[in-house]
Amino acid sequence: MIGRPAALLTLAVAIATSCKAAPPPPPATPPQQLVLVNKLWRVTAPASKPLGSMYLFLPDGTLLMTSCVETYRLAKWSANADGTLTITEDAATTYRATYQAGDRTAKLTFALKSEQMSVDLRVAEAPFVCPDLRR
């Protein structure tokens, strides 16, 4: 027969080993980030943006940027805890942007070196064909 101290020690070890710490919760996803992802966004303003400019935010952190007149670009994007986005076009070009997004419209405000630039977006609707360019 096991003595009382040994039995208590065995019980304590059994309880301690059966209690595992719960895994940490996944990082919080900013609610608006979900609205941006997996939708093709057409740039509606400013008018100075190339004709037919579009953004596509993919859940793996890839951002496809294209237009009717420019070659496409693959960039990296991520949502930050402070509610901003970081967009990295290449090793030398990284932007931080604030954003406001709804189901069908969004606004990105980029903090550039000497100014801020806002881009208005609307979910692209099919069918869409780039207009013919004047020659």
Side-chain angles (χ1 to χ4, degrees):
M1 183 169 202
I2 300 176
R4 183 176 172 112
L8 289 175
L9 180 59
T10 302
L11 179 62
V13 169
I15 290 172
T17 58
S18 67
C19 295
K20 294 181 181 175
T29 302
Q32 292 178 333
Q33 175 189 344
L34 298 174
V35 174
L36 292 173
V37 175
N38 285 333
K39 292 181 183 174
L40 185 57
W41 296 93
R42 281 190 65 203
V43 175
T44 58
S48 62
K49 292 296 278 182
L51 182 65
S53 293
M54 295 186 192
Y55 297 160
L56 176 60
F57 293 88
L58 297 173
D60 70 352
T62 300
L63 171 59
L64 171 65
M65 302 176 347
T66 191
S67 76
C68 295
V69 295
E70 294 180 319
T71 304
Y72 69 89
R73 173 188 296 269
L74 295 178
K76 296 303 282 178
W77 76 276
S78 61
N80 304 310
D82 65 358
T84 62
L85 300 177
T86 298
I87 298 173
T88 304
E89 291 185 358
D90 54 48
T93 311
T94 298
Y95 303 108
R96 288 188 61 90
T98 58
Y99 61 99
Q100 301 166 347
D103 283 342
R104 313 272 320 146
T105 61
K107 182 178 198 114
L108 300 175
T109 303
F110 294 93
L112 306 177
K113 289 180 183 176
S114 61
E115 63 179 328
Q116 288 192 345
M117 179 187 72
S118 291
V119 176
D120 294 339
L121 307 170
R122 177 174 300 282
V123 172
E125 295 183 14
F128 173 81
V129 176
C130 286
D132 288 334
L133 301 176
R134 293 185 176 180
R135 296 178 194 248

